[in-house]
């Protein structure tokens, strides 16, 4: 997959079948757009492309907002390539770009610079200054500028439209199975193993502390069953997101106890994929009660079947 951060670096080899949007999470709704792009591209001998924005435009509009995303940039690129996209445009949402009207964006960018021949947008997508671009505008311009446009229907699960916001809300509620259903894959967090307080090893549950990307959304505080990917191996794990209230912790940490593993993994890259929610964060009366709960969580994790 080719990646471009500047439209001026792109020279068209073939006309494009393209879609645009944030694609945060690259969930099943996005996947339906990508699948349609690839179908159209194959049938019409077009390259497939996604135009998205990095950083997120909300960082531009609301620089003080503590926005968390479903995907880091590396995760988004990985999923786009995995799903078969030929070209990814990562546009910075700068002052010049944000002032383009919907019509200017179509004429100056999509047609003049990118040579689109087929455009697919989501069911609720708008673009351009003051959201002046929409499906009706695209239908009008497509006839003049010689491209085809298609608007995808919403994808539903359990009679609810899938959206990045709904995935985010599910994760923040601890509804891991629901979030994963909408994503079409297990939500994951990656990072580097760093030194912690090392309390876990004193009670028989040594944990790896994970330093995660600041932009990445973490699910709600609590304990989870996870799949751990480390040094090209997979393990079961119990993960905690919280402040360790039983030992009067204050800093939010992400810690994973890896079943059937023993080794020094400081500074190693680790990925955890969330599979199920165990329970909310609990402040226990003492370490004995904490250990009892950890033993119970371990049994549930051992019995959990990874499908």
């Amino acid at each position: 997959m080719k990646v471009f951060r500047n439209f001026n670096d792109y020279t068209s080899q073939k006309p494009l079948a393209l879609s645009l949007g944030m694609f945060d999470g690259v969930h099943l709704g996005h996947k339906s757009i990508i699948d349609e792009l690839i179908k159209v591209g194959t049938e019409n001998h077009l390259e497939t492309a996604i135009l998205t924005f990095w950083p997120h435009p909300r960082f531009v509009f609301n620089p003080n907002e503590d926005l968390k995303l479903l995907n880091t940039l590396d995760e988004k690129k990985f999923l786009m390539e995995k799903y078969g996209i030929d070209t990814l445009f990562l546009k910075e949402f700068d002052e010049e770009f944000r002032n383009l009207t919907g019509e200017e964006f179509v004429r100056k960018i999509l047609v003049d610079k990118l040579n689109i021949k087929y455009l697919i947008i989501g069911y609720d997508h708008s673009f351009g200054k003051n959201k002046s671009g929409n499906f009706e505008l695209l239908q009008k311009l497509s006839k003049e500028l010689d491209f085809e446009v298609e608007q995808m229907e919403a994808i539903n699960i359990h009679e609810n439209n899938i959206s990045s916001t709904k995935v985010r809300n599910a994760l923040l509620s601890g509804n891991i199975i629901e979030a994963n259903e909408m994503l079409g894959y297990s939500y994951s967090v990656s990072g580097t193993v760093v030194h912690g307080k090392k309390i876990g090893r004193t009670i028989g549950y040594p944990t790896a502390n994970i330093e995660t990307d600041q932009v990445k959304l973490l699910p709600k505080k609590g304990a989870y069953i996870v799949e751990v990917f480390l040094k090209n191996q997979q393990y079961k794990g119990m993960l905690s997101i919280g402040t360790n209230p039983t030992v009067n912790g204050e800093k939010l940490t992400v810690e994973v106890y890896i079943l059937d593993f023993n080794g020094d993994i400081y500074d190693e890259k680790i990925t955890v994929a969330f599979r199920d929610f165990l329970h909310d964060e609990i402040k226990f009366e003492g370490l004995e009660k904490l250990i009892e709960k950890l033993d119970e969580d371990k049994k549930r994790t051992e019995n959990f079947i990874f499908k």
Side-chain angles (χ1 to χ4, degrees), residues 65-280:
E65 180 183 8
D66 187 26
L67 175 66
K68 302 297 184 184
L69 302 178
L70 299 174
N71 289 145
T72 64
L73 182 55
D74 283 345
E75 289 168 350
K76 183 177 287 193
K77 288 181 351 190
F78 170 81
L79 288 164
M80 293 292 185
E81 185 161 25
K82 176 184 174 183
Y83 291 154
I85 290 297
D86 296 320
T87 301
L88 179 64
F89 296 103
L90 294 169
K91 181 70 181 80
E92 182 183 358
F93 203 75
D94 54 26
E95 196 65 27
E96 179 186 3
F97 193 82
R98 69 186 283 187
N99 283 313
L100 288 175
T101 66
E103 182 163 347
E104 288 172 333
F105 171 68
V106 174
R107 291 182 182 277
K108 294 180 179 181
I109 306 298
L110 297 185
V111 174
D112 291 351
K113 289 189 182 293
L114 304 186
N115 190 21
I116 65 158
K117 287 298 174 188
Y118 206 105
L119 181 65
I120 300 176
I121 63 170
Y123 71 97
D124 60 350
H125 190 71
S126 59
F127 57 92
K129 188 175 182 180
N130 298 323
K131 298 187 175 180
S132 54
N134 52 31
F135 184 59
E136 287 68 33
L137 174 71
L138 290 170
Q139 284 182 306
K140 187 184 84 168
L141 293 176
S142 67
K143 297 178 179 65
E144 177 194 341
L145 300 173
D146 189 30
F147 64 88
E148 293 185 60
V149 61
E150 177 182 351
Q151 186 174 43
M152 297 290 289
E153 295 294 322
I155 299 297
N156 296 306
I157 283 187
H158 308 312
E159 299 183 357
N160 284 316
N161 294 347
I162 296 174
S163 71
S164 300
T165 298
K166 287 177 181 172
V167 175
R168 194 175 285 111
N169 289 340
L171 291 168
L172 292 174
S173 302
N175 294 328
I176 295 301
I177 291 174
E178 180 186 336
N180 289 347
E181 278 187 335
M182 290 189 280
L183 289 169
Y185 58 89
S186 295
Y187 188 72
S188 66
V189 170
S190 298
T192 304
V193 178
V194 296
H195 290 274
K197 292 185 177 179
K198 301 180 174 61
I199 294 171
R201 66 175 60 182
T202 67
I203 58 173
Y205 284 95
T207 60
N209 281 57
I210 307 172
E211 189 174 77
T212 63
D213 193 310
Q214 288 298 304
V215 80
K216 179 77 174 181
L217 180 83
L218 294 174
K220 73 177 287 189
K221 290 181 184 178
Y224 297 85
I225 295 173
V226 295
E227 194 168 5
V228 181
F229 300 88
L230 175 68
K231 296 183 176 181
N232 297 315
Q233 298 292 321
Q234 291 171 244
Y235 304 90
K236 285 185 175 182
M238 297 148 48
L239 180 133
S240 167
I241 298 172
T243 58
N244 297 304
T246 303
V247 291
N248 300 314
E250 294 179 356
K251 181 184 174 186
L252 185 74
T253 61
V254 181
E255 303 177 48
V256 61
Y257 169 72
I258 307 169
L259 275 65
D260 303 315
F261 177 82
N262 184 28
D264 182 352
I265 53 173
Y266 290 117
D267 299 321
E268 292 285 350
K269 176 88 171 185
I270 189 171
T271 297
V272 292
F274 290 81
R275 302 304 298 270
D276 207 354
F277 181 68
L278 285 167
H279 54 79
D280 288 317

Side-chain angles (χ1 to χ4, degrees), residues 9 34 54 162 165 191 257 300:
D9 295 336
I34 291 170
W54 197 270
I162 296 174
T165 298
Y257 169 72
R300 283 182 61 185

Side-chain angles (χ1 to χ4, degrees), residues 280-296:
D280 288 317
E281 183 177 49
I282 303 170
K283 181 171 183 175
F284 295 96
E285 294 174 5
L287 290 179
E288 281 188 19
K289 294 290 186 185
L290 170 61
I291 293 168
E292 283 178 20
K293 192 62 174 174
L294 287 169
D295 290 344
E296 183 184 312

